[in-house]
Amino acid sequence: MKSLETFPSQTIDVRKLTASESDESSPLWWGNTLNLAMETVVFGGLIAMYVTIVMNTDPFPPIRTTSGLPILRNAAPDLFLPTIGLIVLLVSLIPAIWLDISSRRHNVRSIKIASIVTLGFNLAAIIIRYYEFDSLNFKWDDNAYGSILWIILIMHLIHLFVLMGEDLSVILWIFFKGVDEKQTVDLTVAAVYWYWIVGMWVLLYAIIYISPRLM
Amino acid sequence: VKNDIEKVQSSNPTPEELEQERRELEETWQQPKGGPIAWLSNTDHKDLALRNIVTAFIFFALAGMLAFVMRLQLARPNNKILGPDLYNQFFTTHGTAMMFLFAVPVMLALGLYLVPLMVGTRGVPFPRLNAYGYYTYVIGGLFLYLGLILNLGPDAGWFAYVPLSGPEYGVGKRVDLWGQVVNLSEIAALVAAVQIIVCVLKFRAPGMSLNRIPLFVWSMVVTSFMTVFAMPIVMLITNLISVDRTPGLDTHFFNQAEGGDPILWQHLFWFFGHPEVYIIFIPATGIVSTIITTFSRRPTFGYLALVLTMIATAFIGFGVWVHHMFAAPLPQLGQTIFTASSMLIVIPNGVQIFCWIATLWLGRLNLKTPLVFVFGFFAIFVLGGLTGVMLASVPLNLQLHDTFFVVAHFHYVLIGGAVFPLFAGIYYWFPKFTGRMLNETAGIINFILLFIGFNLVFFPMHILGLNGMTRRIYTYLPETGWGDLNMLATIGAFVMGLAVITFVANVFYSIKLGQRAGDNPWGADTLEWSTSSPPPPYGHEHIPVIQGRHALWEKTDDAAVVTGLYTRVRETLCTTIHDALPEHRFEFNGPSLYPLLMALITGGAFVGLMFSQSAQAIGMIVSFPVLLGWFWSNSKEHRPPHSPEKDNPILEEDETRHER
């Protein structure tokens, strides 16, 4: 224990500093950002694998000769449903940004509405993704190309599930216990996660669905 | 700092007030006591890190015993102690355990213990997540050794190349077990990395701007960033190989016949695997810098150069992975580029060594056990580095690929580059961990035995490799003429065993009977030495204000401290990223059993994945309610300090105190 003599004559008094935090001042924001860095590395690895496998596949896009299905000469993935999925994700940015802003402003009514709408979009994206697997024209065990397409879709789908779980847990709290500052920070951080999910999907959509048509 | 932060006149607390404050801190930060449940819900970063270090040393000892049995098998030609199958399991388990269960976890654990103390804060940012990481690591480790006992020990080498590890040749569940052990231990590594990065970015004491961060802390930050960018790749591929292997799924990621690619496995594995080497080595450089500074009793020579070399090593470390694959059919130009980049890494490492020599040269040496171990590191690591330069050349590499020369090289680099500094670090920080010094005489004996034993084991391997002895063979014929050198290596293994026994005996003796250490027995400069030994649960009683790069050496008598943190909740100060100016107060979560529960679910799901992919879905569903409980219990504790300022009990109470 310090004695009276050695206690410094000057101190930095922090009692007036707030306990509130947002974005990069918040440890949680950094934790989330680093988590997203890891997940980006995972998708980087998957994209590297995709490129290698495409280079190994000749002709590309491959010919589908799966038994029981009609032969497909140029089996690039179908565009219709995946494009709807992409649009849904892009439109979902509107309620996500709204939720982000209302969390920063601590506007409880907006938070409640926006969080439900965002959750709805999240659910819609999951349902569309479920049917989207048919658009790939290959099953996971047909060839390595089919395998990599499936795993990319599944990995992204897992993120949709994880964020839904995260949002659900915050929403349950908000509706049962009310909104305090910790929840608003959670929501702004979850919004960053949602932006990342959408942004990553734009890139993956271009690679999976557009790039085979450019070759 | 002086100009940026508003200092106030100290309220000159009376000894009674200070005592009261200390008592409140003690109560607030106390971990639950009594009974296994209390023990398991502990979230103190120091307690968990110590458990982590002890666990890592147990896994180290077990993996060392496996190595010892392998040495016995190889001592004579045609030996019959281990059959080929068991030998395969032994060397794979040895490599996997040493890399994933010892070297990386023990370094990160050292960081988890020391970084918060060194940056002058009270804990890691996510204490519960920290506990979760530790438990997944323990589960992964137990799982590996349990597999070996159940004849499920992985047997495809620690890098599990396909097709040997693929569905065609890697029959049974052995490779699946390897994959899940890797996954579990890497979760722990990633958790630790995030803790350390966020702790250093946000929790540094006021005044500790980026150019005043201790070198050990820098090394941990660099390592943690490397972990974040390297580890996810190995988790990805271990999962993909397990899907390839699962009957009924039969994907073709690494199956040549269906457009997959076995070389892709090698690329992705070593894209992780080579940075892994630096993830082990860079913390060691941090330990070496710290010890050399303390025992030279002068400021570090070339602080900026040392920081930059660490960062440079990290970047280059991500660009050299192909030098592990020179025997694979790759374009010649590519091989040449990777030869060049591999040789490039000599530059930062050379600069580091010269900075250390300069520090020693200009200092007044205090020749104690930690410094002696650092000298051992110099000798052995430089030798390992030199064979590394040799192996970077493609033609020689092709000749020596998969021989004992490579085994000798990487043991020189890893034991010289990481285990010697680690021992140095344990001798150095043991007084802080326990309050007692390790015995010096035993320390020197430990060093001599380890140094001689190590060189006896591994130096002959260079010659054996040049003579054509390939690695991973369980026996050889007398006609090869390899018998004598192998016998010499096995004798060396005995000596190394003695060294480890000396160390363990020293620890057990000193923990009870060692000389009392006091706060700062070595006269060191970093902040962890300003706390008592062992440190109280709250770390620093008052968060210090940093006045220079060598915090304790440059501290003036009237150095200010931070006051006004609430003592009734676990609170610390968040500062800005560059200049470490006070920003806001931050509250930690308390002890909880949820992390253990969640780790058990993770472990269960990963073990389940060996048998069915549905384990992942089930795991996700089961974890939801547990995570909900975890988050909700967080939120409850967070309530008071996070409520709006006007009805914040803390401020009100303070104002009434002022009025009085």
Side-chain angles (χ1 to χ4, degrees), chain B residues 394-414:
Chain B
V394 177
L396 192 68
N397 186 296
L398 203 55
Q399 193 67 31
L400 294 172
H401 197 86
D402 261 348
T403 67
F404 262 86
F405 189 87
V406 177
V407 179
H409 159 71
F410 68 70
H411 281 93
Y412 266 79
V413 173
L414 290 171

Side-chain angles (χ1 to χ4, degrees), chain B residues 31-43 51 135 591-593:
Chain B
Q31 293 290 333
K33 282 204 177 68
I37 295 200
W39 196 79
L40 290 168
S41 49
N42 190 328
T43 49
R51 288 181 203 175
Y135 290 123
S592 165
L593 211 51

Side-chain angles (χ1 to χ4, degrees), chain B residues 37-274:
Chain B
I37 295 200
W39 196 79
L40 290 168
S41 49
N42 190 328
T43 49
D44 185 305
H45 75 102
K46 295 178 288 296
D47 292 346
L48 283 167
L50 269 191
R51 288 181 203 175
N52 199 335
I53 291 171
V54 171
T55 315
F57 268 99
I58 292 171
F59 289 148
F60 166 74
L62 292 173
M65 284 175 204
L66 296 179
F68 186 71
V69 179
M70 286 192 286
R71 273 320 321 161
L72 285 181
Q73 163 65 18
L74 291 176
R76 290 183 300 141
N78 282 331
N79 227 355
K80 299 260 180 328
I81 298 170
L82 289 175
D85 181 57
L86 204 54
Y87 190 85
N88 288 348
Q89 293 185 56
F90 268 42
F91 74 67
T92 306
T93 306
H94 168 79
T96 307
M98 285 299 193
M99 295 301 273
F100 295 110
L101 302 179
F102 169 64
V104 174
V106 80
M107 291 298 182
L108 291 171
L110 214 51
L112 286 173
Y113 190 105
L114 292 166
V115 165
L117 292 171
M118 280 188 170
V119 301
T121 188
R122 290 184 169 164
V124 290
F126 315 110
R128 292 184 177 181
L129 191 64
N130 199 24
Y132 168 74
Y134 171 65
Y135 290 123
T136 54
Y137 157 69
V138 176
I139 293 170
L142 292 178
F143 194 37
L144 177 68
Y145 286 107
L146 195 68
L148 192 62
I149 293 167
L150 298 176
N151 194 25
L152 268 176
D155 59 353
W158 85 279
F159 39 71
Y161 275 4
V162 281
L164 184 61
S165 62
E168 204 176 335
Y169 298 100
V171 288
K173 292 287 174 196
R174 290 175 172 181
V175 176
D176 303 291
L177 184 135
W178 172 83
Q180 299 315 329
V181 170
V182 172
N183 275 335
L184 287 165
S185 65
E186 299 310 30
I187 289 180
L190 288 167
V191 164
V194 171
Q195 306 278 7
I196 289 169
I197 295 173
V198 178
C199 185
V200 175
L201 289 181
K202 292 309 301 173
F203 285 176
R204 300 197 312 277
M208 190 182 275
S209 47
L210 288 182
N211 57 347
R212 288 174 175 176
I213 296 178
L215 284 165
F216 178 78
V217 176
W218 265 117
S219 76
M220 291 312 305
V221 173
V222 172
T223 303
S224 301
F225 270 107
M226 291 189 80
T227 305
V228 166
F229 289 102
M231 300 298 190
I233 292 290
V234 77
M235 295 182 73
L236 172 69
I237 58 171
T238 51
N239 279 305
L240 296 187
I241 191 74
S242 89
V243 191
D244 262 13
R245 293 168 51 84
T246 307
L249 288 176
D250 304 311
T251 54
H252 303 290
F253 297 109
F254 305 109
N255 178 5
Q256 183 93 44
E258 291 291 348
D261 204 333
I263 302 284
L264 190 58
W265 171 273
Q266 297 191 19
H267 276 298
L268 291 169
F269 185 87
W270 290 114
F271 180 80
F272 139 81
H274 199 83

Side-chain angles (χ1 to χ4, degrees), chain A residues 104-121:
Chain A
R104 282 161 204 276
R105 291 182 185 160
H106 219 282
N107 185 341
V108 178
R109 220 179 99 84
S110 303
I111 288 175
K112 286 187 174 173
I113 301 169
S115 59
I116 295 290
V117 177
T118 318
L119 194 70
F121 272 100

Side-chain angles (χ1 to χ4, degrees), chain A residues 1-2 4 7-21 24-25 27-28 30-31 34 37-38 41-42 45-46 49 52-53 56 140-144 147-148 151 158 161-162 165 168-169 172-173 177 180-183, chain B residues 5 7-10 13 18-19 126 194 198 201-202 229 232-233 236 240 249-253 258-261 264 268 542 545 559-564 573 577 583-586 616 624 628 632 635 638-639 641-642 645 651 654-655:
Chain A
M1 196 196 95
K2 288 190 176 72
L4 184 61
F7 197 83
S9 58
Q10 284 192 315
T11 66
I12 291 175
D13 197 318
V14 297
R15 80 186 67 217
K16 296 278 181 200
L17 288 180
T18 59
S20 69
E21 48 189 65
E24 74 276 5
S25 78
L28 186 67
W30 279 101
L34 289 167
M38 293 169 201
V41 173
V42 169
L46 285 169
M49 290 182 74
T52 313
I53 288 168
N56 287 351
W140 65 87
D141 56 356
D142 284 347
N143 49 34
S147 304
I148 190 73
I151 198 73
I158 289 175
F161 274 118
V162 170
L168 202 59
S169 66
L172 285 172
W173 179 275
K177 309 257 182 172
D180 67 27
E181 278 193 35
K182 183 174 184 301
Q183 272 64 50
Chain B
I5 303 171
K7 284 187 188 169
V8 295
Q9 201 62 39
S10 165
L18 281 170
E19 177 60 31
F126 315 110
V194 171
V198 178
L201 289 181
K202 292 309 301 173
F229 289 102
I233 292 290
L236 172 69
L240 296 187
L249 288 176
D250 304 311
T251 54
H252 303 290
F253 297 109
E258 291 291 348
D261 204 333
L264 190 58
L268 291 169
H542 291 103
V545 176
V561 293
V562 174
T563 54
L573 181 67
I577 291 166
E583 195 175 54
H584 61 86
R585 294 179 288 117
F586 176 83
Q616 179 159 2
F624 184 71
L628 206 62
W632 279 35
S635 300
H638 259 295
R639 240 165 200 295
H642 278 271
E645 213 164 298
L651 291 173
D654 285 344
E655 263 147 34

